Amino acid sequence: MSRPAFASWLSQTNDVTQTFLNAGQIPDLINLAGGLPDPSIWPVEELAQLAHKAVAEHPEAVLAYPPIEGFAELRHLIAQRFSTGGLTLTRQNVLITTAGMQGLDLVGKALLDQGGLIAAQSPAYLGALDAWRPRLPSYRPIRLQDEGFDPVAALDGAQFCYCVPNFSNPTGRLVDLPMRQAMVEAAQQTGTWLVEDDPYGMLYYDGAPLPRLLELSATGKPGPYDGPVIYLGTLSKGLAPGLRLGWVIAAPEMITALITAKQGSDMCTTGISQQMAIDAFKTGLPERILPHILDLYGSRRNALCAAMAEHLTPWFDWQVPQGGMFVWARAKDPALDTDKLLKVALSHGVCVTPSSVFDPEGQDRGAIRVNFTLNPAERLAEGTRRLARAVDALLSGKA
Amino acid sequence: MSRPAFASWLSQTNDVTQTFLNAGQIPDLINLAGGLPDPSIWPVEELAQLAHKAVAEHPEAVLAYPPIEGFAELRHLIAQRFSTGGLTLTRQNVLITTAGMQGLDLVGKALLDQGGLIAAQSPAYLGALDAWRPRLPSYRPIRLQDEGFDPVAALDGAQFCYCVPNFSNPTGRLVDLPMRQAMVEAAQQTGTWLVEDDPYGMLYYDGAPLPRLLELSATGKPGPYDGPVIYLGTLSKGLAPGLRLGWVIAAPEMITALITAKQGSDMCTTGISQQMAIDAFKTGLPERILPHILDLYGSRRNALCAAMAEHLTPWFDWQVPQGGMFVWARAKDPALDTDKLLKVALSHGVCVTPSSVFDPEGQDRGAIRVNFTLNPAERLAEGTRRLARAVDALLSGKA
């Protein structure tokens, strides 16, 4: 007897996310690879009390099966938080998800037949590629920063366009206002859905936040939002990832399709996290902890960039990101293969993410993503020195 | 402009699960349709304390991203709970899931290319059909109770066989020991994976529990289990569905594939529920509340069956189930269309589930599933009377 073959997409995947989630277990490794928050930002005792209160005061809601689409009050609160002068959201526009990753999975489930076409900001978030891989999609890479970039040509004919306007993972890049407007206009013109993945939208260290694509696509018509943007939000960066609490904001017809997709994925999101989110929003908890997060991560961004300027300038180019969690550094020497660099770096006690995992084709081996949120300044500096030694060893053939 | 089409599976689905989850909102409706627990079984204050303790005492585990596969301690505890004399399980055999529904979704993701063949106990759990529908599978219905049923022929060539040996949803049927052994032997002979979905395994009201397919497939070899059974468990029936906490037990190669599938689904299951499950298992909480659950549901099973015997005998045949949550009743008159009966029943203030939703082809319109766990005896009796009036109205053409 032989066992049936696994589904074919499984032969196309990689285990890099798990490698990085587990990397913390290597002794004294400096992990600059993941996208992990600093545990000091978590309001532990307040969250513990919210967890108790959720179960003790709302047992018949929290311990039962919540509605597939999420608690009505939470959907309403999120609709309120994201409504603006021109943008009217109701809870019909909101689906609660088991964090941002499930939002990506559900969008793929609702819109992709096998081989369906995705226009994706390139390089693209690894987790989005993971979420859509089981549907064996085809990709049209789009590079918003390239001269002559044509948003209409980029979107036309795709099932959806994937975009991270605020501090993209992996590049940390902020999409400017004219390009945001152009993308929204292209979505309105072509009909293509525009997925705005926004886990980092609260993490602006410099400058005022730009308007979301969601807001830019509002028409000012009365009634619930009916535009082309599918907005994905999460509490993972601004409160705590362990809550596994996210949301999708979109036109009601899209929310209806996503509810059907969620029904067969995990039926509903845990009531405890949903009720904790309700109480957190009502007491302004995310707003209260945000100044500390911005101080901490902003200073770490500065520390990493200073260390990189001191130790990595000979080998890499990068821009200082205005927010988010990552610096994206491209090797000056095309012969510097960052897949190989990762292996050498691990043996030098530091971990970064190679660019190949952010390329649907796995071809780009010329850049690295460096995280600055998890480690204090001195560890960022030491990690950068280790990385410099690893580059030196690799290029000199001593690795 | 026109928007891209939704994925093609969405045109093949139905909204019956959502209809039933929401049915509680119709005034005075007696809901015999869902598979909902009675809220009185929940140890609310103890769960509230566990929720507080999880966050307060384990913040760096619970509020961070848990490992994709789940907390090591929880995997270990589940491995221990399901190990028997001949069955050696380690945490390599265990994946934590966002409740049982996600286990079904991940199995489909790992094993089904588009159109892949599933051998499924017929009629089959609606949620399993929902979970696999996006992969547009083909079904080989298998009827274990039919004379001349051949397990090897049933399993041969399928990617997996889906089976609910303990009080199947919808039929409430218990698969007997000889058939369990035959199914396991067929899986060993053909190589086909054997999915043992076991949400109701603790709900035996009469008689001693039969051995699981998982246990029957153990070879007694040292080392972690490596057999063909993929066992799906959950805390939804024996503790509380709102925790969204389930597990898969399977051979390590299957667990590895399912971890990759989970990575792109929701990344990981909430740490709060995982830590609550650890503490619940360590303090024997499920075992402490089980006697009350069995008393309550067993007496309600008796009450429903007595009311059915009084009011529905002219129109339906059924067996008294030895456990689980449902009675499955087949119409004596083939002209009684239970899809139509549902509509008439709703207008008479009672809701049951028609057989069509448990048939992958949607063809079986001759039976109903009746739940007895949610309502007290007097409501079960009143619901049965309403159902009898609805049948009478439908058959007499007065509906």
Side-chain angles (χ1 to χ4, degrees):
Chain A
M1 74 87 184
S2 66
R3 288 192 173 151
F6 286 111
S8 43
W9 70 272
L10 272 165
S11 63
Q12 300 181 17
T13 189
N14 62 66
D15 59 359
V16 72
T17 296
Q18 194 167 19
T19 304
F20 293 150
L21 284 176
N22 293 337
Q25 293 165 18
I26 302 176
D28 192 42
L29 185 84
I30 299 179
N31 181 4
L32 308 179
L36 302 181
D38 188 295
S40 76
I41 68 170
W42 298 327
V44 173
E45 187 45 40
E46 189 163 352
L47 288 173
Q49 286 169 14
L50 290 185
H52 183 278
K53 189 176 168 216
V55 179
E57 297 186 7
H58 308 274
E60 300 219 354
V62 157
L63 297 176
Y65 292 97
I68 301 169
E69 64 273 20
F71 288 150
E73 184 176 11
L74 181 55
R75 299 167 74 206
H76 173 72
L77 284 168
I78 290 168
Q80 277 190 319
R81 289 172 72 87
F82 285 84
S83 289
T84 60
L87 173 64
T88 307
L89 299 171
T90 77
R91 64 187 165 93
Q92 288 174 273
N93 294 116
V94 181
L95 168 72
I96 304 304
T97 62
T98 305
M101 177 60 83
Q102 188 182 51
L104 295 166
D105 180 37
L106 298 181
V107 166
K109 224 167 148 175
L111 283 173
L112 294 176
D113 280 321
Q114 189 170 316
L117 178 63
I118 302 170
Q121 200 175 0
S122 177
Y125 169 47
L126 168 61
L129 302 180
D130 284 343
W132 300 324
R133 192 171 287 116
R135 294 177 170 79
L136 303 168
S138 48
Y139 281 93
R140 177 190 291 161
I142 64 174
R143 297 182 180 83
L144 311 183
Q145 68 280 11
D146 281 5
E147 206 168 328
F149 172 74
D150 176 352
V152 171
L155 269 61
D156 192 38
Q159 287 296 103
F160 60 88
C161 173
Y162 177 66
C163 190
V164 186
N166 290 320
F167 319 116
S168 174
N169 182 350
T171 67
R173 193 183 302 273
L174 183 69
V175 176
D176 66 19
L177 183 57
M179 182 55 76
R180 291 177 187 230
Q181 287 165 326
M183 292 296 282
V184 165
E185 280 161 28
Q188 285 161 337
Q189 186 178 330
T190 61
T192 298
W193 296 100
L194 183 52
V195 176
E196 177 176 29
D197 190 9
D198 196 26
Y200 315 109
M202 76 296 291
L203 298 181
Y204 275 77
Y205 313 127
D206 309 323
L210 297 177
R212 302 180 184 99
L213 304 182
L214 180 68
E215 181 181 352
L216 293 171
S217 69
T219 58
K221 281 190 304 186
Y225 173 79
D226 194 33
V229 173
I230 303 172
Y231 178 91
L232 308 183
T234 175
L235 287 181
S236 293
K237 314 304 179 194
L239 195 52
L243 296 174
R244 310 313 295 138
L245 200 291
W247 54 88
V248 183
I249 302 174
E253 66 163 327
M254 174 54 66
I255 295 296
T256 299
L258 295 173
I259 290 171
T260 303
K262 182 172 171 69
Q263 174 178 311
S265 287
D266 66 357
M267 188 78 87
C268 47
T269 292
T270 169
I272 300 176
S273 291
Q274 290 196 60
Q275 187 61 46
M276 289 173 72
I278 289 171
D279 289 332
F281 285 144
K282 285 166 87 170
T283 60
L285 179 55
E287 291 74 17
R288 276 185 281 127
I289 68 173
L290 186 60
H292 170 62
I293 297 174
L294 297 181
D295 274 0
L296 185 74
Y297 291 173
S299 69
R300 289 181 175 181
R301 185 266 322 255
N302 296 342
L304 174 67
C305 289
M308 288 178 68
E310 187 176 344
H311 302 293
L312 294 179
T313 300
W315 300 301
F316 287 96
D317 291 314
W318 64 90
Q319 291 185 326
V320 177
Q322 294 175 50
M325 304 177 87
F326 306 107
V327 175
W328 179 249
R330 186 159 288 284
K332 293 177 177 177
D333 179 353
L336 203 171
D337 179 323
T338 53
D339 275 12
K340 291 182 183 162
L341 176 61
L342 170 61
K343 294 194 177 74
V344 181
L346 285 170
S347 72
H348 281 75
V350 63
C351 185
V352 296
T353 310
S355 48
S356 59
V357 303
F358 304 108
D359 178 358
E361 312 293 325
Q363 298 303 311
D364 180 358
R365 297 183 164 209
I368 53 174
R369 189 193 72 176
V370 189
N371 169 264
F372 54 79
T373 58
L374 181 63
N375 290 280
E378 63 276 19
R379 293 282 283 176
L380 291 169
E382 172 59 18
T384 307
R385 285 191 292 271
R386 292 181 187 181
L387 188 59
R389 289 197 290 269
V391 174
D392 194 37
L394 178 64
L395 291 180
S396 66
K398 289 182 212 150
Chain B
M1 72 88 183
S2 67
R3 287 193 173 150
F6 286 112
S8 42
W9 70 272
L10 272 166
S11 64
Q12 300 181 18
T13 190
N14 61 66
D15 60 358
V16 73
T17 295
Q18 194 167 19
T19 304
F20 293 151
L21 283 176
N22 292 338
Q25 293 165 17
I26 302 177
D28 191 42
L29 184 84
I30 298 180
N31 181 5
L32 308 180
L36 301 181
D38 188 295
S40 76
I41 69 171
W42 298 325
V44 173
E45 187 46 38
E46 190 165 352
L47 288 174
Q49 286 168 13
L50 290 185
H52 183 278
K53 189 176 168 216
V55 179
E57 297 186 8
H58 309 274
E60 299 219 354
V62 157
L63 297 176
Y65 292 96
I68 301 169
E69 63 273 20
F71 287 150
E73 184 177 10
L74 182 55
R75 298 167 74 206
H76 173 72
L77 285 167
I78 290 168
Q80 277 190 318
R81 288 172 74 87
F82 285 84
S83 289
T84 59
L87 173 65
T88 307
L89 299 170
T90 76
R91 64 186 165 92
Q92 287 175 273
N93 294 115
V94 181
L95 169 71
I96 305 304
T97 61
T98 305
M101 178 59 85
Q102 188 181 51
L104 295 166
D105 180 38
L106 298 181
V107 166
K109 225 168 146 173
L111 282 173
L112 295 175
D113 280 323
Q114 188 170 316
L117 178 64
I118 302 170
Q121 200 176 0
S122 177
Y125 169 47
L126 168 63
L129 302 180
D130 285 343
W132 300 324
R133 192 172 284 117
R135 294 178 171 79
L136 303 169
S138 48
Y139 281 93
R140 178 190 291 161
I142 63 174
R143 296 181 181 84
L144 310 184
Q145 68 280 11
D146 280 6
E147 207 168 327
F149 172 74
D150 177 350
V152 171
L155 268 62
D156 192 38
Q159 287 296 102
F160 60 87
C161 173
Y162 177 67
C163 190
V164 186
N166 291 319
F167 318 117
S168 174
N169 183 349
T171 67
R173 192 183 303 271
L174 183 69
V175 176
D176 65 18
L177 182 58
M179 182 55 76
R180 289 178 189 231
Q181 287 164 328
M183 293 295 284
V184 165
E185 279 161 28
Q188 284 162 339
Q189 185 178 330
T190 59
T192 298
W193 296 99
L194 184 51
V195 176
E196 179 177 27
D197 190 9
D198 196 27
Y200 315 109
M202 76 296 291
L203 299 181
Y204 274 78
Y205 313 127
D206 309 324
L210 297 178
R212 300 179 185 98
L213 304 182
L214 179 68
E215 182 181 352
L216 293 171
S217 69
T219 59
K221 281 190 305 186
Y225 173 80
D226 194 32
V229 172
I230 303 172
Y231 178 91
L232 308 184
T234 175
L235 286 182
S236 293
K237 313 304 177 192
L239 195 53
L243 296 175
R244 310 312 295 137
L245 200 291
W247 53 88
V248 183
I249 302 175
E253 66 163 330
M254 175 53 67
I255 295 296
T256 300
L258 295 172
I259 290 171
T260 303
K262 182 171 171 69
Q263 174 177 312
S265 287
D266 66 358
M267 187 79 88
C268 47
T269 293
T270 169
I272 299 176
S273 292
Q274 290 196 61
Q275 187 62 46
M276 290 173 72
I278 289 171
D279 289 332
F281 285 144
K282 286 166 87 171
T283 60
L285 179 55
E287 290 75 15
R288 276 185 281 127
I289 68 172
L290 186 59
H292 170 60
I293 297 174
L294 296 182
D295 275 359
L296 185 73
Y297 291 174
S299 69
R300 288 180 176 182
R301 184 265 325 252
N302 296 342
L304 174 67
C305 289
M308 288 176 68
E310 187 176 346
H311 302 293
L312 294 179
T313 300
W315 299 302
F316 287 95
D317 291 314
W318 63 91
Q319 291 185 325
V320 177
Q322 295 175 49
M325 303 178 87
F326 306 107
V327 175
W328 179 250
R330 186 159 288 283
K332 293 178 178 179
D333 179 353
L336 203 171
D337 179 323
T338 53
D339 275 12
K340 290 182 184 160
L341 176 60
L342 170 60
K343 294 195 178 72
V344 181
L346 284 171
S347 73
H348 281 74
V350 63
C351 184
V352 296
T353 311
S355 48
S356 60
V357 303
F358 305 108
D359 178 357
E361 312 292 327
Q363 297 305 310
D364 180 359
R365 296 182 165 209
I368 54 173
R369 190 191 72 177
V370 189
N371 169 264
F372 54 78
T373 58
L374 181 63
N375 289 280
E378 62 275 20
R379 293 282 283 177
L380 291 169
E382 172 60 18
T384 307
R385 284 190 293 272
R386 291 181 186 180
L387 188 59
R389 289 196 290 271
V391 174
D392 194 38
L394 178 63
L395 290 180
S396 65
K398 292 181 209 146

